[in-house]
Amino acid sequence: MTPADERGSAAGTGVAGWAMRCPACGHPLGVLPEATASSRSEADHTDADGDADGDADADADADASAVAAIRCTACGAQWPCRDGIWRFLQAEDAARLGAFLAEYTAVRRAEGRAAMTAAERFALPEALSSTPLAWQWRIRAASHRTFCRTVLSGGMPGRVVDVGAGTGWLAWRLAVGGADVLAVDVSDDAGDGLGAGGLYAADLAARGLARRFVRAVAHADRLPVADGAADLVIFNASLHYAVDPAATLAEAARAVRPGGRVVVVDSPIYARHSSGAQMVAERAAAFTARYGYPSTAQGSREFLVAGELERIGAAIGLTFRHARPFVDVRWALRPLTARLRGRRAPARFAVSIGTKRGERVGDRHGHGRESGPTRML
C-alpha cells in the first residue's frame, strides 16, 4: 500500500461516520460511534460517544458482553455492538431466520468454507489450489474483475453497503481501496459469516484503516442506514436469497443517494421462470439426499428472471445495465451444450448496475463524490 492509499479517499475516512436509522421504526439514530467501528476486542473499547445530533443515545454498556448500544429515542429499541459487530436484527426477524441459518451454516461448513485458511481468505475471490469449491470461485473471480472494470473504473465510491457480505472479503477489498464499507449479513458465524470478518478487520486495523470496515447483522429489507447514506449498495451473490427481490431492491434504492448505484452480482438469472423453478427443485432434492433437508426454510426465491431487474428498477427509480463476465470458453458454451443434451437451460450470471435516477446530491454529509484513481488489491 502507498501512503496515499492509507490516507483514504476524500469521501472515505476523512468524513463523518455512517448516518444510521432505526430498523424497527425508521427514526434517525444519528452517526454511528467511531470508537466501535473497528476490530478492537471488547476489552479494548472503553467508551463510545454517539450523541452526534441528539437523535441517538450511544452509551458504553456496563455489560462486558456489549461494547456499546445505540438507543432509538422514538421507539426505545436498543441496538448493541458485540464482538466488534453491530446488531441491528429485530427479534422477530431473528426468529424467522433461525431454521434457515442453522441449515445454511451446516451446509456451508460441510462444504469446507469455514475451514479456509487466512491465506485462502485473503486471496479471495481468486482461489488457491487448496481453496474449497475452487471451481465456484473461478466464476466469482471473473465477476469480480467485471465489477472492477465496469463499476470502479471511474473511481472508488465513498460509502458502500455490502448486503449479504458473508465473511466480508469484498468489503475488505473495497476498504483497502479507499471506501468506507458497511458489511451487512444476517449471519455472524465465526467460520463463514461476519464473525470470520475479524481477520479482515484486524488487517485493516494494522494498516490504520479500521474505521473503513464496519460489520452489522441486519436484514436486507431493513437496512440500518439513513436515506441516501450510500454511494453504492452491492448484492454480491446474495440477492437470490431474498424472499421478495422487489422489496429488497426497494430498500437498497432508499439507502443509496440520487445518482448512486445498486449493483447485483452473481445471482443466477434464467431466461424463463420454469427453468429457475426446475433448478430449485433439483437443488432441494440433492440437498435432501445429502443433508436430510432441502434447505428451503427461508423461502428464498433463489433465482432471477431475465428482464426482472429492469421491471423492478422502473418502479423504484433504478435504471439497469448489464455486463457479462467471461469465465472461459467451456462456460460460455453451457447454453448450447445443455440444449444439445436435452437439459434445462442454465442460468447466466451478470454484473447488473442500477443507477438511481435524480440529481446528484451535494456533499453536505460527505456523500455524492467519488475518489480516484481506484486502487484494488
Side-chain angles (χ1 to χ4, degrees):
M1 299 295 293
T2 67
D5 292 325
E6 295 185 1
R7 285 196 300 271
S9 67
T13 58
V15 298
W18 282 94
M20 309 300 283
R21 82 168 198 166
C22 179
C25 72
H27 189 73
L29 292 175
V31 176
L32 194 71
E34 293 179 11
T36 55
S38 75
S39 66
R40 288 179 293 167
S41 68
E42 292 172 358
D44 292 331
H45 290 288
T46 56
D47 69 353
D49 181 10
D51 250 332
D53 64 358
D55 254 318
D57 295 332
D59 310 292
D61 197 309
D63 181 355
S65 68
V67 176
I70 298 178
R71 180 174 62 84
C72 177
T73 57
C75 71
Q78 192 133 311
W79 311 105
C81 180
R82 295 190 180 93
D83 302 320
I85 303 173
W86 284 95
R87 315 290 170 151
F88 287 104
L89 193 64
Q90 296 185 78
E92 53 267 37
D93 285 332
R96 280 193 293 266
L97 288 166
F100 161 75
L101 285 175
E103 294 178 356
Y104 179 84
T105 301
V107 169
R108 304 280 285 192
R109 287 179 177 272
E111 291 175 334
R113 298 177 191 268
M116 280 192 192
T117 65
E120 289 167 342
R121 292 184 189 278
F122 280 123
L124 297 178
E126 300 294 339
L128 303 183
S129 59
S130 59
T131 302
L133 299 174
W135 67 271
Q136 285 188 5
W137 285 108
R138 287 180 57 247
I139 302 167
R140 302 293 299 279
S143 296
H144 181 68
R145 291 191 292 270
T146 302
F147 167 74
C148 292
R149 185 182 72 251
T150 58
V151 177
L152 303 183
S153 59
M156 184 65 69
R159 296 196 191 281
V160 181
V161 180
D162 182 2
V163 184
T167 62
W169 68 264
L170 176 60
W172 169 70
R173 287 188 172 276
L174 292 169
V176 170
D180 286 340
V181 189
L182 182 66
V184 173
D185 205 288
V186 294
S187 172
D188 64 353
D189 183 68
D192 190 54
L194 291 175
L199 180 74
Y200 299 123
D203 175 78
L204 288 165
R207 299 171 186 260
L209 306 177
R211 62 178 296 189
R212 287 184 181 174
F213 180 65
V214 180
R215 291 172 288 164
V217 174
H219 199 290
D221 292 354
R222 283 167 284 284
L223 295 175
V225 297
D227 294 359
D231 299 301
L232 169 67
V233 176
I234 181 167
F235 295 88
N236 188 30
S238 61
L239 183 61
H240 52 286
Y241 288 106
V243 175
D244 182 355
T248 302
L249 285 170
E251 176 66 354
R254 176 197 65 77
V256 76
R257 63 167 173 80
R261 291 166 292 182
V262 174
V263 177
V264 179
V265 181
D266 275 351
S267 280
I269 303 173
Y270 287 90
R272 294 183 297 276
H273 189 280
S274 59
S275 296
Q278 185 178 345
M279 177 276 294
V280 172
E282 292 169 358
R283 179 181 179 275
F287 274 48
T288 299
R290 181 173 180 181
Y291 304 109
Y293 48 81
S295 192
T296 56
Q298 189 181 8
S300 303
R301 168 78 79 75
E302 300 190 35
F303 65 93
L304 302 172
V305 179
E308 184 175 11
L309 290 177
E310 288 84 351
R311 291 191 295 273
I312 294 173
I316 61 176
L318 297 175
T319 302
F320 276 96
R321 62 185 177 90
H322 309 276
R324 183 79 64 86
F326 179 79
V327 180
D328 55 32
V329 173
R330 181 179 179 182
W331 181 262
L333 291 175
R334 286 167 65 246
L336 176 60
T337 302
R339 186 161 58 249
L340 292 175
R341 295 178 177 177
R343 298 175 178 174
R344 64 165 172 81
R348 64 177 176 85
F349 294 85
V351 175
S352 301
I353 306 158
T355 301
K356 186 172 180 178
R357 295 191 287 273
E359 293 296 322
R360 188 182 181 92
V361 297
D363 197 39
R364 291 174 296 171
H365 302 291
H367 306 143
R369 59 187 183 188
E370 297 178 350
S371 66
T374 296
R375 292 182 182 271
M376 291 290 291
L377 287 179

